[in-house]
Amino acid sequence: MSSSVIAIILSAAMLHAIWNAIVKTAADRTVTLGLVALGQAIAGAIMILVLPIPSLESFPYILVSTFIHFGYFYMLGKAYQHGDLSVVYPVARGVAPVLVSVGAFLLIGEVLPLQAWIGIAIIVMAIQLSNWRALREGGGRAAFIYAFGTGVCISGYSVADGIGVRLSDNTLSYWAWGAFLHVIVAIFVGVRRRRSLHTYPLSTWLVGLCGGVVAMSAYGLVLYAKNFAPLGAVSALRETSVIFAALISFIFLGEGNRFRRLCAAMMMATGVGLIGISL
């Protein structure tokens, strides 16, 4: 895996942590998630007007990914309703690398070398180390269950999009259509909150829509990387977003333990390095 691909995935990880922090700190997370979806749909609609249509073979994967994203938004909103960013985010992101690697192996026969698997294991252990106390004492059963469900959804759409983008013949077009179909989530939230939407200030709308652009940018970078690296490795490297989330939660939200997070960050860097030099 080249250094440029690694840099792209790490940039996506940082952007992903930022938009999750936006959702966590929002007064109404359901509406904010709906606006995040709307922001992606608007940007996607603009792009599909000027881009060619992706191959027909990729559309089933776009639809599957859209369906799974619907569950992802639901689980994520529920998880942040019951738990802190430093509790929910690592669980959700930590589940994904192993499930994606297993899914990629079962569906397309993609096999990672042993060194990469060791790197994935170290990353997963680092995720748990950075938040062990929160998971043990303050996470709550509901937060853990919804966070785990979020991770399952992440692994599902990661595998679907990893296969679909390789069949699409055009990464930008696949990205645009996937983003545009987030309009389904936006419409669902809009219908459910139709009586109160007019009461939200302009700042709420702007933050949510900007969060959507950030989320879309983050996932676009990951889709691009999936053209050049194994799905399991991309998913594992993307989970470095937990370090960015840890910094955000510690600096801005007053969560976490600095020493434990520093040790976890060092473990995470080791895992990333093992994956990078093995592929």
Side-chain angles (χ1 to χ4, degrees), residues 51-100:
L51 291 172
I53 297 176
S55 68
L56 294 179
E57 291 84 357
S58 68
F59 269 95
Y61 296 96
I62 295 175
L63 295 176
V64 169
S65 176
T66 299
F67 176 78
I68 298 174
H69 266 91
F70 190 90
Y72 166 75
F73 275 94
Y74 174 80
M75 290 287 184
L76 185 65
K78 285 290 188 180
Y80 283 138
Q81 178 182 332
H82 293 282
D84 290 338
L85 178 67
S86 60
V87 176
V88 170
Y89 197 86
V91 174
R93 303 309 309 184
V95 169
V98 175
L99 294 181
V100 169

Side-chain angles (χ1 to χ4, degrees), residues 75 79 88 91-92 95 99 142-155:
M75 290 287 184
V88 170
V91 174
V95 169
L99 294 181
F144 181 84
I145 290 174
Y146 283 119
F148 187 87
T150 302
V152 173
C153 291
I154 290 170
S155 63

Side-chain angles (χ1 to χ4, degrees), residues 144-255:
F144 181 84
I145 290 174
Y146 283 119
F148 187 87
T150 302
V152 173
C153 291
I154 290 170
S155 63
Y157 71 65
S158 294
V159 172
D161 285 335
I163 299 172
V165 73
R166 295 179 182 182
L167 297 173
S168 68
D169 297 327
N170 191 309
T171 299
L172 287 177
S173 296
Y174 187 94
W175 175 36
W177 276 92
F180 170 68
L181 289 178
H182 277 75
V183 70
I184 297 173
V185 177
I187 291 173
F188 178 81
V189 173
V191 170
R192 293 199 62 181
R193 296 298 180 90
R194 61 187 180 279
R195 296 180 181 177
S196 60
L197 286 178
H198 69 280
T199 65
Y200 293 97
L202 179 61
S203 59
T204 299
W205 285 78
L206 291 176
V207 168
L209 292 174
C210 288
V213 175
V214 172
M216 181 181 176
S217 300
Y219 201 55
L221 292 173
V222 170
L223 284 178
Y224 178 78
K226 287 178 179 178
N227 285 289
F228 306 100
L231 304 188
V234 172
S235 180
L237 287 176
R238 190 186 183 193
E239 305 324 315
T240 55
S241 59
V242 300
I243 299 301
F244 296 111
L247 293 173
I248 292 171
S249 65
F250 180 79
I251 296 172
F252 297 105
L253 305 181
E255 301 174 4

